[in-house]
Amino acid sequence: SYELTQAPSVSVSPGQTASITCSGDKLRDKYACWYQQKAGQSPVLVIYQDRKRPSGIPERFSGSNSGNTATLTISGTQIMDEADYYCQGWDQGRVFGGGTKLTVL
Amino acid sequence: EVQLVESGGGLVQPGRSLRLSCAASGFTFSNYNMNWVRQAPGKGLEWVSYISSGSSNIYYADSVKGRFTISRDNAKNSLYLQMNSLRAADTAVYYCVRDGPSGPWPGLDYWGQGTLVTVSS
């Protein structure tokens, strides 16, 4: 079955840039999405179609997709950005990556 | 305001059935494709099923194919998931989720709060 690979954890200092990557050999064919899930809450869409931000998502969130790797970048990371982040691609249906826990300290 | 409210979760024995419901409000339900996504305790997200706005296209994850059935009633602004032959591995929070309006390959733009299904004897 198709898999998307994410690092289990990423740490960043407040104000710095966090990069979370997602690897999968079908990412180049279709758009990637990214979701943020804070503890005890439902996921929130932060990036769709590789690089678009839904309304209400801060400009510090950006996305890119090149080759087999999609990347979520958070510029000027804030304490409130600490969360699990999931990439999502497509196979026969949607496929989620395993998630990356972002720690801001 | 878009709202998706799931119900129907609970404790069920292996092999039994359960039906989840999702009440939608704040948008024209009949115009949107819908999904169920689940999350096992302490684990990641898993897409379960998709249904198009008019129910003409339906897809399932391999893990539930043949056991789960997705359906919708646009007149009642409701989405359903009939789950049969439940297994311990189906234990999860089940989210009702809307496809975003921007195609192709839209994001999942609104999520319900989820309903917990526990399969255990």
Side-chain angles (χ1 to χ4, degrees), chain A residues 31 35 37 42-43 49 86 94, chain B residues 39 95 99 102 104 106 108 112:
Chain A
Y31 291 119
Y35 303 88
Q37 187 178 33
S42 300
Q49 293 179 356
Y86 295 92
R94 295 176 187 262
Chain B
Q39 186 170 34
Y95 294 102
D99 260 18
S102 301
L108 298 168

Side-chain angles (χ1 to χ4, degrees), chain B residues 60-118:
Chain B
Y60 299 98
D62 288 343
S63 57
V64 307
K65 201 173 295 182
R67 300 187 300 121
F68 289 13
T69 302
I70 192 172
S71 63
R72 64 190 296 163
D73 185 336
N74 287 342
K76 294 183 177 180
N77 292 334
S78 294
L79 177 71
Y80 306 102
L81 186 67
Q82 176 67 43
M83 304 185 295
N84 298 333
S85 303
L86 282 161
R87 308 165 179 168
D90 296 318
T91 295
V93 173
Y94 285 74
Y95 294 102
C96 169
V97 192
R98 192 183 85 166
D99 260 18
S102 301
W105 320 120
L108 298 168
D109 67 348
Y110 282 95
W111 298 62
Q113 85 288 348
T115 187
L116 176 62
V117 173
T118 303

Side-chain angles (χ1 to χ4, degrees), chain B residues 28-51:
Chain B
T28 305
F29 180 71
S30 59
N31 288 350
Y32 287 83
N33 304 325
M34 298 293 296
N35 301 265
W36 289 98
V37 175
R38 69 184 181 183
Q39 186 170 34
K43 302 298 184 181
L45 302 172
E46 180 187 15
W47 171 80
V48 172
S49 185
Y50 161 97
I51 185 168

